[in-house]
Amino acid sequence: MHFYESVNVYNRIQYSINAVQQWLNLRLQLLGVVVTAAVALIAVGLHYYHAEAVNSGLIGLALVYSLSLTSLLNGSVQTFTQTEMDLISVERITQILKTIEENFGLEGAADEPSLLVDSSWPSKGQIVFNNVSMRYRPHLDLALKKVCLSIQPAEHIAIVGRTGSGKSSLFQALFRLTKLDSGSISIDGVDISMIDLEVLRSKIFIIPQDPFLFSGTIRSNLDPLDQYRDDEVWTALYNCNINILVDSLGGLDAELRENGSDLSAGTRSLFMIARAVLNKKKILCMDEVTANIDPETERVLHELVRTTLRGHTILHIAHKLESIQNYDRVVVMAAGEIVNVYSAEEYIQTHQHQPQP
């Protein structure tokens, strides 16, 4: 029913546009007829009263231009109206973005004071959630409820819980995608609400459940800003066990399709980990990266977590017991709250015979 109503609205708008265009064409043609008739009458009058002063070539040129006036006016008006319609689309997008900012409580965020941090920040990777409460809309319930969690430097944390328990909301709060209702989050002792948003997000790396790559060379995917030497890129690939694969594809200049569609999901995940290792991100967030990969790639990923990423602070939203065996602690969430914190061994022993969340 909603679809039919939308089609009717669209048809009404299209009918109005076509009617206006026909109205405009008719009046422009009338204007062209008036101008052409005026030029012809002036030519006849000049020939009658001042025949010796009339240049037949100029009269013919004037008639030609007057006949083309209608099409020129029509093209000019069409161009102007189309430009105005396109700019209205931009205006609507701006209004929608403003509405989103108001709904998420982000208005005025750009005017907040920004704290300048050193380029090496964060050097440790300590994260502290202090009574963090967050909701996605003013009229909705809290997605996070007074969450208190202290994550030590280079600690590996697995976050588990059922759908809607607030796991992804922790990442939303950490990246400041949604304004906090109360509480604060600090990284290496610095309140992230006082840091410029672009700086904050450039210091944290996330690997989504469906990893993405850009169309272009392997090098441009790993180092889009061209900040590192080729040997540093190869070292990152070697540490992530994909250097042989890259060499077989043709080296760093090998072209990848859009979103890496010519690679498996597991390989794309390894490329994103190599990107994080190359950029030396101290904090790494992983959102169920083992959900769509094969067992062999999952084994490689677990090995990377235990060795190459040992010095990084990792927050991993996990959904399988095998995914948390190399982690230091397991945070169990429910209804936006942290209900328990285990060591990985305790959690596996407690839940290995229970249905997984």
Side-chain angles (χ1 to χ4, degrees):
M1 187 65 183
H2 178 69
F3 173 77
Y4 290 127
E5 292 176 354
S6 300
V7 170
N8 286 334
V9 171
Y10 174 78
N11 288 335
R12 284 198 297 269
I13 294 173
Q14 286 298 114
Y15 177 81
S16 300
I17 291 176
N18 291 334
V20 170
Q21 287 178 344
Q22 295 301 323
W23 179 89
L24 178 64
N25 288 334
L26 176 61
R27 278 148 182 81
L28 290 178
Q29 289 174 7
L30 289 175
L31 179 60
V33 168
V34 171
V35 173
T36 303
V39 171
L41 290 174
I42 292 173
V44 171
L46 289 175
H47 178 73
Y48 184 79
Y49 292 104
H50 303 282
E52 69 283 353
V54 176
N55 188 322
S56 58
L58 292 177
I59 294 296
L61 183 62
L63 287 172
V64 170
Y65 278 123
S66 63
L67 289 173
S68 63
L69 180 64
T70 301
S71 60
L72 291 174
L73 286 175
N74 190 30
S76 300
V77 174
Q78 290 287 353
T79 302
F80 175 79
T81 54
Q82 186 63 42
T83 302
E84 186 174 4
M85 291 171 61
D86 292 342
L87 290 176
I88 288 175
S89 300
V90 176
E91 182 183 3
R92 294 290 184 271
I93 293 174
T94 304
Q95 291 175 349
I96 292 172
L97 291 176
K98 184 178 180 181
T99 303
I100 292 175
E101 290 179 352
E102 292 173 352
N103 289 339
F104 277 87
L106 298 177
E107 65 275 12
D111 299 329
E112 294 180 0
S114 296
L115 179 66
L116 296 178
V117 293
D118 189 78
S119 59
S120 60
W121 179 89
S123 58
K124 300 177 181 178
Q126 182 187 42
I127 307 173
V128 177
F129 292 82
N130 183 23
N131 286 320
V132 173
S133 296
M134 185 196 77
R135 69 179 84 229
Y136 289 101
R137 297 286 191 280
H139 60 279
L140 296 180
D141 296 333
L142 289 172
L144 295 177
K145 304 172 184 176
K146 296 188 179 299
V147 172
C148 293
L149 178 64
S150 179
I151 302 172
Q152 299 305 313
E155 189 175 18
H156 292 184
I157 301 294
I159 305 170
V160 300
R162 297 189 179 277
T163 301
S165 60
K167 306 185 299 296
S168 298
S169 298
L170 285 177
F171 287 2
Q172 294 262 356
L174 187 61
F175 281 88
R176 283 175 55 193
L177 295 174
T178 305
K179 190 174 182 180
L180 300 183
D181 232 42
S182 62
S184 63
I185 303 174
S186 62
I187 298 178
D188 283 3
V190 179
D191 189 343
I192 64 172
S193 64
M194 301 300 295
I195 302 173
D196 182 75
L197 196 58
E198 183 178 354
V199 174
L200 171 66
R201 293 177 181 174
S202 68
K203 299 295 184 178
I204 308 174
F205 199 87
I206 184 169
I207 301 177
Q209 183 174 344
D210 186 17
F212 62 91
L213 294 172
F214 304 104
S215 58
T217 64
I218 293 177
R219 198 190 200 294
S220 65
N221 271 277
L222 297 176
D223 183 21
L225 300 180
D226 199 21
Q227 296 176 312
Y228 303 97
R229 303 188 307 272
D230 284 357
D231 60 320
E232 294 177 300
V233 178
W234 278 109
T235 300
L237 293 172
Y238 176 80
N239 290 334
C240 295
N241 295 328
I242 51 176
N243 57 310
I244 297 177
L245 171 64
V246 172
D247 194 41
S248 65
L249 291 174
L252 298 180
D253 293 328
E255 292 285 336
L256 297 179
R257 295 178 184 174
E258 185 176 359
N259 200 27
S261 58
D262 49 344
L263 302 174
S264 66
T267 304
R268 294 200 301 269
S269 297
L270 293 178
F271 268 107
M272 293 201 68
I273 291 178
R275 189 190 298 168
V277 171
L278 178 64
N279 286 271
K280 302 177 178 62
K281 305 293 185 183
K282 201 65 179 177
I283 299 175
L284 179 61
C285 300
M286 299 193 296
D287 186 2
E288 297 187 6
V289 295
T290 60
N292 300 319
I293 63 178
D294 59 275
E296 179 61 25
T297 307
E298 184 176 356
R299 184 192 63 78
V300 174
L301 182 62
H302 293 328
E303 181 67 21
L304 290 175
V305 170
R306 189 173 67 253
T307 56
T308 304
L309 301 177
R310 186 66 258 178
H312 298 250
T313 301
I314 297 179
L315 280 73
H316 182 194
I317 296 177
H319 70 292
K320 295 189 295 185
L321 287 176
E322 295 81 1
S323 302
I324 65 175
Q325 58 187 354
N326 296 314
Y327 285 76
D328 301 313
R329 287 190 293 166
V330 179
V331 175
V332 182
M333 299 195 66
E337 299 178 304
I338 295 178
V339 296
N340 216 328
V341 180
Y342 299 90
S343 67
E345 294 79 7
E346 291 175 343
Y347 184 83
I348 293 175
Q349 292 174 3
T350 306
H351 296 80
Q352 61 183 347
H353 300 302
Q354 298 180 8
Q356 298 181 25

